[in-house]
Amino acid sequence: MDIRPECNDDINSIERVIIEAFKNHPHSNQTEHEIVAKLRNDNPLSVSLVAEVNNVIIGHIAFSKVNISGEFIEWYGLAPVSVEPEYQNQGVGSQLILSGLKAIRELNGKGCVLLGEPEYYNRFGFKAFSGLVFKGVPPEYFQSLLLSGDMPNGNVEYHKAFA
Ligand SMILES: CC(C)(COP(=O)(O)OP(=O)(O)OC[C@H]1O[C@@H](n2cnc3c(N)ncnc32)[C@H](O)[C@@H]1OP(=O)(O)O)[C@@H](O)C(=O)NCCC(=O)NCCS
């Protein structure tokens, strides 16, 4: 399996993988592919990686800038991450997350937030942190990973594509 940045020719395959991955997801309204398209069009898609097997895209991960207390302080949001159902539970998601975090570090990212199952994301070091607040969700599902510097405090806002 290869993991590499997306290119223009990947856009339809990425859309297909995201739709397939979230098809039966209980907390999804199946708009994740539209969010990624909007992020790409508005240009805040900071990192977008694909996982490929035999030249077929089977996974995707996106990271975009977030504001904390109204300011971009080099923190990013991980969302969404998608793996084609028949390739799930084989480490593809983990490799996408680890490669994505490496790319965020290379952008000099200071940290990353996400909304997701603590049981899955704790293994990458993500933890709920009471100082970083994302309104409207149970706090244990909003998790942060500090990459450098001090942990900031404040309300976190994603790009308007997530609205
Ligand atoms: C979540 C997802 C990206 C994980 O990718 P993956 O390649 O299947 O996961 P990995 O093979 O890296 O890891 C498998 C492990 O994660 C666990 N896991 C997967 N999804 C999980 C979830 N939603 N909640 C808790 N644990 C989960 C598996 O139980 C397995 O645990 P184990 O290592 O203890 O056996 C993938 O399952 C997916 O695309 N799901 C649908 C879309 C989604 O929910 N995206 C995340 C929200 S943005």
Side-chain angles (χ1 to χ4, degrees):
M1 183 181 70
D2 289 326
I3 294 191
R4 60 164 178 80
E6 74 164 40
C7 61
N8 283 344
D9 289 349
D10 299 330
I11 289 174
N12 291 340
S13 303
I14 290 171
E15 183 175 282
R16 174 187 51 76
V17 167
I18 299 173
I19 290 172
E20 286 299 315
F22 282 92
K23 204 182 236 168
N24 300 313
H25 192 288
H27 303 301
S28 164
N29 53 8
Q30 279 75 44
T31 58
E32 289 77 8
H33 61 291
E34 292 169 13
I35 292 171
V36 171
K38 282 186 199 159
L39 290 171
R40 189 183 288 116
N41 291 343
D42 284 7
N43 207 23
L45 191 55
S46 310
V47 171
S48 177
L49 303 179
V50 295
E52 205 173 43
V53 171
N54 297 329
N55 296 321
V56 176
I57 290 176
I58 52 116
H60 173 258
I61 192 166
F63 292 80
S64 52
K65 292 178 180 180
V66 294
N67 282 345
I68 300 180
S69 300
E71 239 190 307
F72 176 60
I73 53 166
E74 292 174 280
W75 273 67
Y76 293 83
L78 185 174
V81 52
S82 316
V83 176
E84 188 82 48
E86 68 178 279
Y87 286 92
Q88 289 179 7
N89 291 311
Q90 299 169 43
V92 179
S94 298
Q95 289 195 48
L96 281 167
I97 291 167
L98 293 172
S99 301
L101 290 172
K102 183 166 175 268
I104 290 294
R105 279 195 181 89
E106 286 164 5
L107 286 177
N108 201 25
K110 303 272 191 291
C112 183
V113 290
L114 60 82
L115 191 56
E117 290 293 337
E119 194 189 325
Y120 185 53
Y121 294 102
N122 284 353
R123 67 188 71 192
F124 309 104
F126 285 89
K127 287 197 169 51
F129 172 67
S130 59
L132 280 180
V133 178
F134 185 57
K135 286 183 185 155
V137 300
E140 64 272 27
Y141 289 95
F142 188 63
Q143 298 156 72
S144 315
L145 177 68
L146 180 67
L147 297 175
S148 74
D150 296 326
M151 200 71 186
N153 289 289
N155 285 327
V156 180
E157 288 161 356
Y158 285 82
H159 185 266
K160 60 183 188 306
F162 289 90

